[in-house]
């Protein structure tokens, strides 16, 4: 990573991707692009990380994406959350979510400290010589001529910087200049209520879970966080002035029913208003939106940052493949098709949970919380909530994958489950994503999927960056491929729980299953995959359909 200030600001900069905004989503995307070998110029108008309390929850999907971005276990402080409670003043605990499980090698739900995550992700950019970071720099305007994006930047000293990029990605937050410049409407609604967020230290008798006090008089979520922190989120009532409510004496008064507020240390406070919005489309020409620039979610599902990280994982490998000439530009169209419908489902989930957390009056609270209490009496109703079955699965409805009726073991368009494996050339167990790396994967379960494939087909697969793997059952000793392709399963995540011996899957770099089927059909599957991703006539790095020149002013 090269971190630059105003020196040589006047010279034009050529880069593959101009990344506008270096919050957690932008920093994760920059790390992924850096790992793929893409040249990136990442800018942020702020000169330091924002220290106010914001996102606090991550799920197993987010932790898996951070793993893909190079974050190792133990580098980020987290607190695993075993349960989420919903409390009513009329019914007591009327709902509960069981989040104690391990999914894809990670806790189902954790809390974290966002400034630490941002600092960690930014520090990791130093290992990538092709990633340049410029802080205190803002976007003024850009032109998409169909072949590249020419952008005009300004640094803190007022100097102009000219940039020509193959692609531009806006990760510049809910007030995104990139989105507004592209003329993309931010559809949805904003909540009228202000919420006061309080992070406190040295809290006596801290809780070890997340709790939503769903009192219509003042809904109040409370949760534990790393570093001995406890967080409260108080909905402000009509007539309460946000500035006055942030004063220490007001904060301590709000905290008094929960703890000895005179003994605690108030670390940070902030007042936010929540929104439920999404851009009409997540891409336009050579420009893309990700994170809060593309969609913004109420916090009641703890999915705001998680959704942004899903964007980063989905977009990074596609940009890399096109920039490196391994895939045609049509690949990029799948970003909007895959991500926008799922982001909309997550927003709907958050709105539904918001109706539980902040009922508008006592009558609605009685009806909603009473109904939830009754549903818990039924096994199906209890499982829907407690086992997180109401959370939309990160499975695409359309995009870059295909399914064959009656041949769905893993389900194409869904993420490949992650398990523990041992490479044949090592004795240390590792998570399977770390073994598979950042490449495409042709995986044979119990079989060598490359056996009998034409050499020309394998060469095309390797040109795409594809690898071949044999996922062996524990202590398999027969029908083995070369040692370098073998992964010995140390659990039943895939074999035999999900797939039978002799099954084959083609898996994308973001760990989404492209297709699956019996080993006898692997040649047909691989030919179809290569045709969809990298047709022979569209693999030149600069190949793209010509678009009319469009000028955007931020």
């Amino acid at each position: 990573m090269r971190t630059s200030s105003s020196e040589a600001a006047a010279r034009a900069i050529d880069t593959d991707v101009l990344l506008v905004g270096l919050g957690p989503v932008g920093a994760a995307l920059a790390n992924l692009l850096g790992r793929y070998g893409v040249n990136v110029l990442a800018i942020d108008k702020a000169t330091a990380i924002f220290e106010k309390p914001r996102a606090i929850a991550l799920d197993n999907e987010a932790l898996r994406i951070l793993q893909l971005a190079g974050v190792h276990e133990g580098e980020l402080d987290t607190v695993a959350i075993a349960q989420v409670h919903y409390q009513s003043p009329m019914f007591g605990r009327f709902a509960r979510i069981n989040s104690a499980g391990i999914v894809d090698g990670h806790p189902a739900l954790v809390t974290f400290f966002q400034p630490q995550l941002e600092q960690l992700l930014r520090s990791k950019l130093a290992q990538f010589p092709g990633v340049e970071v410029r802080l205190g720099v803002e976007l003024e305007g850009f032109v998409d001529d169909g072949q590249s994006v020419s952008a005009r930047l300004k640094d803190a000293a007022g100097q102009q910087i000219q940039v020509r990029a193959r692609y531009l990605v806006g990760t510049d937050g809910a007030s995104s200049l990139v989105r507004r410049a592209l003329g993309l409407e931010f559809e949805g609604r904003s909540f009228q209520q202000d919420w006061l967020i309080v992070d406190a230290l040295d809290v006596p008798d801290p809780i070890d879970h997340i709790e939503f006090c769903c009192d219509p008089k003042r809904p109040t979520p409370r949760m534990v966080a790393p570093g001995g922190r406890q967080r409260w989120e108080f909905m402000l009532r009509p007539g309460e002035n946000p500035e006055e409510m942030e004063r220490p004496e007001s904060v301590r008064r709000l905290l008094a029913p929960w703890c000895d507020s005179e003994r605690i240390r108030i670390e940070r406070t902030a007042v936010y208003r929540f929104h439920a919005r999404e851009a009409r489309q997540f891409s336009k020409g050579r420009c893309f939106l990700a994170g809060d620039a593309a969609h913004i979610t109420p916090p009641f599902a703890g999915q705001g940052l998680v959704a942004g990280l899903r964007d980063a994982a989905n977009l990074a490998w596609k940009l890399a493949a096109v920039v490196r000439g391994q895939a045609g530009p049509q690949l990029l169209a799948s970003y909007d098709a895959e991500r926008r419908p799922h982001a909309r489902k997550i927003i709907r989930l958050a709105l539904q949970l918001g109706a539980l957390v902040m009922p508008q009056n006592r009558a609605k609270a009685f009806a909603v919380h009473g109904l939830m209490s009754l549903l818990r009496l039924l096994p199906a109703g209890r499982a829907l909530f407690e086992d997180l079955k109401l959370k939309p699965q990160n499975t695409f409805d359309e995009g870059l994958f295909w399914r064959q009726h009656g041949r769905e073991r893993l389900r194409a368009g869904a993420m490949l489950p992650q398990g523990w494996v041992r490479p044949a050339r090592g004795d240390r167990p590792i998570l399977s994503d770390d073994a598979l790396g950042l490449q495409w994967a042709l995986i044979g379960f119990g079989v060598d999927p490359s056996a009998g494939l034409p050499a020309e087909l394998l060469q095309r697969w390797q040109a795409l960056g594809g690898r071949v793997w044999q996922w062996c059952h524990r202590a398999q000793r027969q029908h083995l491929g070369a040692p370098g392709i073998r992964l010995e399963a140390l659990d039943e995540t895939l074999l035999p729980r999900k797939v039978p011996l002799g099954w084959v899957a083609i898996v994308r770099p973001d760990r989404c299953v492209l297709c699956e089927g019996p080993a006898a059909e692997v040649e047909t599957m691989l030919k179809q995959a290569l045709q969809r991703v990298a047709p022979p006539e569209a693999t030149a790095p600069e190949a793209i359909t010509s678009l009319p020149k469009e000028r955007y002013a931020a």
Side-chain angles (χ1 to χ4, degrees), residues 35 64 67-68 72 416-426 428-443 465-471 483-490 507 509 511:
R35 297 194 76 192
R64 188 178 182 183
Q67 174 194 347
L68 199 67
H72 303 296
L416 179 76
Q418 177 171 219
W420 286 95
V421 298
R422 180 164 46 219
R425 289 178 173 169
R428 185 174 64 88
I430 59 176
L431 286 169
S432 55
D433 283 1
D434 293 335
L436 298 176
L438 298 173
Q439 294 85 18
W440 284 85
L442 171 61
I443 305 174
R467 294 284 305 275
V468 174
W469 298 98
Q470 180 178 1
W471 191 289
I485 73 169
R486 299 201 305 257
L487 299 174
E488 182 185 19
L490 301 181
V507 182
R511 302 283 80 89

Side-chain angles (χ1 to χ4, degrees), residues 172-209:
D172 49 341
S175 300
S176 171
L177 289 173
V178 174
R179 185 189 65 244
R180 285 184 280 152
L182 290 171
L184 298 176
E185 294 184 22
F186 208 30
E187 300 170 340
R189 68 185 182 93
S190 298
F191 289 84
Q192 299 304 309
Q193 302 88 352
D194 289 316
W195 288 75
L196 172 65
I197 315 300
V198 179
D199 282 348
L201 297 166
D202 304 327
V203 178
D205 302 319
I207 62 173
D208 60 358
H209 57 279

